Amino acid sequence: QVQLLESGGGSVQSGGSLTLSCAVSEYRDYTLGWFRQAPGKEREGVAAIDVDDSTIYAESVKGRFTIFRDNAKSTLYLEMNRLQSEDTAMYYCAAGAHPPSVFFDALVRRADAGHWGPGTQVTVSS
């Protein structure tokens, strides 16, 4: 079973940057992605990337966040720039068999449709 472990979360001021990492025990042909969940809100998809490096982003992070993967290190990354207070959330790394176009909906609708890491907290202060 795929295991994922996030790191890199922390506290940053508005306008700052953070890069999250996710160690993936085995890639296979999974789509990999990042989700986040703020207190009192539903989990939402942030960014996803497939084995061909096709990507998809939530509208709220386009132009600010970049997802990429290092296959040699079996690691997924999320570079986050121009962070805003609205980006404060627990960030989760996930792996699933769905293509990026349906990855967010599939895993939000059914968490057991994918594999998840325990999460890393990102806090942006204004």
Side-chain angles (χ1 to χ4, degrees):
Q1 182 167 338
V2 178
Q3 294 182 333
L4 306 101
L5 183 63
E6 305 91 341
S7 61
S11 297
V12 64
Q13 289 192 330
S14 181
S17 300
L18 279 175
T19 297
L20 305 182
S21 301
C22 176
V24 184
S25 64
E26 53 183 295
Y27 267 10
R28 298 185 182 179
D29 56 354
Y30 286 129
T31 293
L32 302 176
W34 292 95
F35 293 73
R36 66 186 181 186
Q37 188 166 18
K41 294 188 177 181
E42 291 188 352
R43 189 170 296 189
E44 63 175 356
V46 176
I49 185 169
D50 70 6
V51 292
D52 297 318
D53 286 339
S54 294
T55 59
I56 189 168
Y57 293 91
E59 285 295 325
S60 60
V61 306
K62 279 184 180 178
R64 299 189 298 122
F65 291 11
T66 302
I67 187 172
F68 58 100
R69 56 200 293 173
D70 185 334
N71 294 335
K73 296 182 178 180
S74 296
T75 302
L76 176 71
Y77 299 93
L78 184 67
E79 180 181 328
M80 304 184 294
N81 297 312
R82 303 200 307 277
L83 283 161
Q84 306 165 357
S85 57
E86 296 77 19
D87 297 316
T88 294
M90 183 71 79
Y91 283 71
Y92 299 91
C93 172
H98 304 80
S101 59
V102 299
F103 188 72
F104 293 163
D105 286 344
L107 268 67
V108 167
R109 188 169 299 131
R110 284 190 56 184
D112 62 0
H115 306 275
W116 297 87
T120 186
Q121 177 68 37
V122 172
T123 302
V124 185
S125 57
S126 56

